Amino acid sequence: MAVASLERELAKVAGEDAVVPPNASLVTDMTQLPGRADAVVFPSSAEAVAATLAWCYEHDVPLTPRGGGTGFAGGAVPDGGVVLGLERLTRVRSFDPELWRMTVEAGATTATVHRLTRESGLLFAPDPGAAELSQIGGNIATNAAGPHAFKYGATGRWVSGLEVALAPGELVTIGGNIRKDVESYDLKSLLVGSEGTLGIVTAAWLSLIPAPERVLPVVAFHADFRAGCAAIERVLGSGIRAAALEFLDAETLASSAASYEPGMPERAGFMTIAEADGGADEAQRMRAELVEALSEDALAVHTPETAPELEALWRWRGGMAFAVIARRGTAHSEDIVVPLDRLAEAVEGTIEIGRRHDLPALSFGHAGDGNLHSTFLLEPGNEGELARAWKACDDLFDLAVRLGGSISGEHGLGTLKGGKLRRYRQPRALELHAAVKAAFDPKNLLNPGKKLP
Ligand SMILES: Cc1cc2nc3c(=O)[nH]c(=O)nc-3n(C[C@H](O)[C@H](O)[C@H](O)COP(=O)(O)OP(=O)(O)OC[C@H]3O[C@@H](n4cnc5c(N)ncnc54)[C@H](O)[C@@H]3O)c2cc1C
């Protein structure tokens, strides 16, 4: 169908002002992979989302859901067809602070939900880094996590219900304001993390908890990753229920030491950020335990306390992805996950893979979850390095699986790793994945080419 008539048809379905011409920023995400779309639609209601899906299904037009475009896997990068942006679905449908719950449309930003809940003394626990831009629908579609997922879990744990547009174009409600539900197969969990390949989330019922009264981080520096990883295992072995347990290796510190205001010890080769939270006394007690567990062999231990110090620490940590990219101009950053007792091997393995492919390599991430952002630093436009980086990533995925882990702990497979499952998972598991996809999306029009082979 010609683009002009496609846009006219979509305007009839989704509303006159809903259709906008595609531009480069609407067809890519953080990967900067160049996508291609015939039309972009921003519906203003869940019903208009379902109607757009119905139209696309009837006319065999592929459709790519788009949230804030902050994904790192190319999940929102279309290869033709229609991009359906959720950014106009921002309504908070209900908020009951005294019942610790909120129902919000998919296009509300993560930061909006954080702000509203914080104002009522509550916490929406998932804290992925690009909160001002990422949307609740995108968080659900990627099951986004963040530093505090160590204690609180990823987004899916905080979703008790979904409203979702399903093929061939129907709005369906799954779950709701209920805290338990075993009446049927767990469709909600299938949709969480499905990267827009099974349905389009239009609204979600979110569970909240009272915000901790006090939050007290501990920052420890060790000489190398072996000493640092041993300290992290000591934290767990001591039974401390830290809220966050993050790590940064030597090369990551080299990228970002200058902007760490308290200053780092000269020989620092590994940094751990742990956080105690809870009631005031509980947080103080937990911080003391963290200091004790992390102090052995440490070069220094910092205990920031004031609100500006805490803010500065997490802002610095949040900017890490960009600090490492700035080192050489660009980077390939992955999100492998391994069992916690294999973390040191994964940190060392990342460096070794970089060495083998002649690329500077580093890792940082969510130590408590065994989740590493293993990163290869590249010079922009250097095709040789780019080709070697792809090979290095394949070696990295092999390493993660060999260590008993998975090739994605946070960002999903999207375009970048679409199809990689075939190499790592058993045929029967792959068959079931294909069957699930076919049941939700028999025409393979929902974000085709992503996640599955
Ligand atoms: C600085 C920075 C820090 C980050 N830190 C973290 C982190 O700590 N943890 C983490 O997990 N991620 C992190 N991310 C990655 C990213 O922010 C998350 O994956 C986020 O959840 C993506 O949300 P989005 O709205 O931007 O989705 P998009 O990037 O727009 O889309 C992501 C995927 O979800 C699908 N999708 C989007 N909305 C919907 C919907 N309503 N229904 C169905 N499918 C949909 C898309 O098709 C695509 O496949 C970070 C990104 C940046 C830039």
Side-chain angles (χ1 to χ4, degrees), residues 42 57 145 195 315 340 406:
F42 288 112
Y57 233 75
E195 300 181 54
R315 196 171 355 97
L340 186 60
S406 133

PDB file of all heavy atoms in Angstrom, residues 42 57 145 195 315 340 406:
ATOM      1  N   PHE A  42       0.569   7.664  16.913  1.00  0.00           N
ATOM      2  CA  PHE A  42       0.529   7.904  18.357  1.00  0.00           C
ATOM      3  C   PHE A  42      -0.924   7.940  18.807  1.00  0.00           C
ATOM      4  O   PHE A  42      -1.516   9.016  18.921  1.00  0.00           O
ATOM      5  CB  PHE A  42       1.196   9.249  18.704  1.00  0.00           C
ATOM      6  CG  PHE A  42       2.696   9.252  18.563  1.00  0.00           C
ATOM      7  CD1 PHE A  42       3.308  10.012  17.576  1.00  0.00           C
ATOM      8  CD2 PHE A  42       3.489   8.509  19.420  1.00  0.00           C
ATOM      9  CE1 PHE A  42       4.690  10.023  17.447  1.00  0.00           C
ATOM     10  CE2 PHE A  42       4.878   8.510  19.293  1.00  0.00           C
ATOM     11  CZ  PHE A  42       5.473   9.264  18.309  1.00  0.00           C
ATOM     12  N   TYR A  57      -3.593  -5.885  11.444  1.00  0.00           N
ATOM     13  CA  TYR A  57      -3.766  -7.335  11.325  1.00  0.00           C
ATOM     14  C   TYR A  57      -4.587  -7.684  10.089  1.00  0.00           C
ATOM     15  O   TYR A  57      -4.274  -8.628   9.365  1.00  0.00           O
ATOM     16  CB  TYR A  57      -4.390  -7.916  12.613  1.00  0.00           C
ATOM     17  CG  TYR A  57      -3.537  -9.042  13.132  1.00  0.00           C
ATOM     18  CD1 TYR A  57      -2.335  -8.786  13.776  1.00  0.00           C
ATOM     19  CD2 TYR A  57      -3.887 -10.374  12.904  1.00  0.00           C
ATOM     20  CE1 TYR A  57      -1.505  -9.817  14.192  1.00  0.00           C
ATOM     21  CE2 TYR A  57      -3.067 -11.404  13.321  1.00  0.00           C
ATOM     22  CZ  TYR A  57      -1.878 -11.118  13.966  1.00  0.00           C
ATOM     23  OH  TYR A  57      -1.055 -12.141  14.354  1.00  0.00           O
ATOM     24  N   ALA A 145      14.967  -3.827  35.093  1.00  0.00           N
ATOM     25  CA  ALA A 145      15.397  -3.926  36.487  1.00  0.00           C
ATOM     26  C   ALA A 145      16.162  -2.647  36.839  1.00  0.00           C
ATOM     27  O   ALA A 145      15.741  -1.560  36.466  1.00  0.00           O
ATOM     28  CB  ALA A 145      16.238  -5.178  36.672  1.00  0.00           C
ATOM     29  N   GLU A 195       8.910  -8.042  24.936  1.00  0.00           N
ATOM     30  CA  GLU A 195       9.498  -7.084  23.977  1.00  0.00           C
ATOM     31  C   GLU A 195       8.551  -6.720  22.826  1.00  0.00           C
ATOM     32  O   GLU A 195       8.976  -6.579  21.679  1.00  0.00           O
ATOM     33  CB  GLU A 195      10.822  -7.620  23.426  1.00  0.00           C
ATOM     34  CG  GLU A 195      11.876  -7.875  24.494  1.00  0.00           C
ATOM     35  CD  GLU A 195      13.184  -8.386  23.928  1.00  0.00           C
ATOM     36  OE1 GLU A 195      13.736  -7.738  23.035  1.00  0.00           O
ATOM     37  OE2 GLU A 195      13.639  -9.470  24.362  1.00  0.00           O
ATOM     38  N   ARG A 315      23.631   9.469  40.858  1.00  0.00           N
ATOM     39  CA  ARG A 315      23.689  10.146  39.556  1.00  0.00           C
ATOM     40  C   ARG A 315      24.981   9.733  38.842  1.00  0.00           C
ATOM     41  O   ARG A 315      24.980   9.443  37.650  1.00  0.00           O
ATOM     42  CB  ARG A 315      23.628  11.663  39.739  1.00  0.00           C
ATOM     43  CG  ARG A 315      23.298  12.376  38.439  1.00  0.00           C
ATOM     44  CD  ARG A 315      23.001  13.858  38.540  1.00  0.00           C
ATOM     45  NE  ARG A 315      22.945  14.418  39.847  1.00  0.00           N
ATOM     46  CZ  ARG A 315      23.960  15.058  40.446  1.00  0.00           C
ATOM     47  NH1 ARG A 315      25.114  15.188  39.839  1.00  0.00           N
ATOM     48  NH2 ARG A 315      23.823  15.573  41.647  1.00  0.00           N
ATOM     49  N   LEU A 340      25.864 -15.947  40.884  1.00  0.00           N
ATOM     50  CA  LEU A 340      26.693 -15.008  41.640  1.00  0.00           C
ATOM     51  C   LEU A 340      28.104 -15.541  41.918  1.00  0.00           C
ATOM     52  O   LEU A 340      29.085 -14.787  41.862  1.00  0.00           O
ATOM     53  CB  LEU A 340      25.997 -14.668  42.965  1.00  0.00           C
ATOM     54  CG  LEU A 340      26.700 -13.592  43.785  1.00  0.00           C
ATOM     55  CD1 LEU A 340      26.789 -12.291  43.019  1.00  0.00           C
ATOM     56  CD2 LEU A 340      25.985 -13.384  45.101  1.00  0.00           C
ATOM     57  N   SER A 406      22.756 -16.593  31.344  1.00  0.00           N
ATOM     58  CA  SER A 406      21.918 -16.307  30.176  1.00  0.00           C
ATOM     59  C   SER A 406      22.499 -15.105  29.435  1.00  0.00           C
ATOM     60  O   SER A 406      23.267 -14.322  30.008  1.00  0.00           O
ATOM     61  CB  SER A 406      20.476 -16.067  30.651  1.00  0.00           C
ATOM     62  OG  SER A 406      19.918 -14.928  30.072  1.00  0.00           O
TER      63      SER A 406
END
